[in-house]
Amino acid sequence: EAGVTQFPSHSVIEKGQTVTLRCDPISGHDNLYWYRRVMGKEIKFLLHFVKESKQDESGMPNNRFLAERTGGTYSTLKVQPAELEDSGVYFCASSQRTGRGYEQYFGPGTRLTVT
Amino acid sequence: GNSVTQMEGPVTLSEEAFLTINCTYTATGYPSLFWYVQYPGEGLQLLLKATKADDKGSNKGFEATYRKETTSFHLEKGSVQVSDSAVYFCALSDRGGGGADGLTFGKGTHLIIQP
């Protein structure tokens, strides 16, 4: 079974440009999450989808960030326009309910560098 | 708000040494607690979890006990190996969903095991 995949693995853009990150969850997982880790800081929750609906977007930093999950499958996270402080590693995770509750499976992350 | 505090690294130990990584938390309600591990070049993996007070999570020789009275979830292993070298993250989920909602992470502890 394929794990959570993210694309690209690394992106370098200039301030003011637009970048779109993609996450493909594990097949059949209704829950999809985005997190971000800024250098030296904690991994921060951004938002949570249940299928195509946003369950919780309380962690989204501002309106320059737009997340979508069309059809409840893959998700994209767009940053427009990018600022220097947006640099960091963006993680995606997915989960599904099991007999032991929920376990979030994480992708390898996308390292975003804004110069 | 919720928060997780864990000991700063790097923590350097010799092979077969005893390991403790401290983790304390602040949360409303009755959180679920997790330890995630990130091996070099890989995504985060769930190492163990506990969903209620006095529960003990265990996996791969690692253990952690949910201590509500001290709001702690310290990670222990009796004899570490070089292959345990990784970054360890303590995390919580505070809505009682056992991990269905977004996680709050600590900063991570980089563990280095020397042969």
Side-chain angles (χ1 to χ4, degrees), chain A residues 32-34 45-49 54 56-57 59-60 67 77:
Chain A
L32 187 149
Y33 315 80
W34 283 99
F45 165 76
L46 298 179
L47 90 160
H48 171 201
F49 284 100
K54 292 177 184 174
D56 179 0
E57 52 184 330
M60 294 289 265
L77 180 65

Side-chain angles (χ1 to χ4, degrees), chain A residues 35 37 41-44 106, chain B residues 2-8 21-26 31-38 44-50 63-67 71-76 87-93 102-110:
Chain A
Y35 295 86
R37 188 182 192 197
K41 300 285 186 68
E42 300 89 344
I43 299 171
K44 290 285 193 183
F106 281 75
Chain B
N2 300 328
S3 68
V4 174
T5 302
Q6 59 183 108
M7 56 195 302
E8 300 284 342
I21 300 178
N22 290 335
C23 171
T24 57
Y25 67 89
T26 302
S32 296
L33 301 173
F34 307 84
W35 276 101
Y36 278 82
V37 58
Q38 185 178 26
L44 280 76
Q45 303 173 24
L46 179 64
L47 181 59
L48 52 84
K49 65 186 270 189
E63 293 184 339
T65 301
Y66 188 146
R67 301 287 188 198
T71 61
S72 66
F73 193 54
H74 304 323
L75 182 68
E76 297 182 336
V87 182
Y88 293 80
F89 295 91
C90 185
L92 70 82
S93 165
L103 300 172
T104 299
F105 283 90
K107 288 188 177 182
T109 302
H110 186 193

Side-chain angles (χ1 to χ4, degrees), chain A residues 38-91:
Chain A
V38 173
M39 181 77 73
K41 300 285 186 68
E42 300 89 344
I43 299 171
K44 290 285 193 183
F45 165 76
L46 298 179
L47 90 160
H48 171 201
F49 284 100
V50 178
K51 296 185 180 179
E52 67 275 8
S53 299
K54 292 177 184 174
Q55 179 77 12
D56 179 0
E57 52 184 330
S58 61
M60 294 289 265
N62 51 61
N63 59 9
R64 295 185 294 102
F65 289 76
L66 175 64
E68 295 180 322
R69 192 181 183 194
T70 307
T73 55
Y74 72 91
S75 174
T76 57
L77 180 65
K78 180 189 288 188
V79 185
Q80 178 183 30
E83 298 289 345
L84 297 178
E85 63 265 26
D86 300 332
S87 295
V89 181
Y90 290 76
F91 293 102

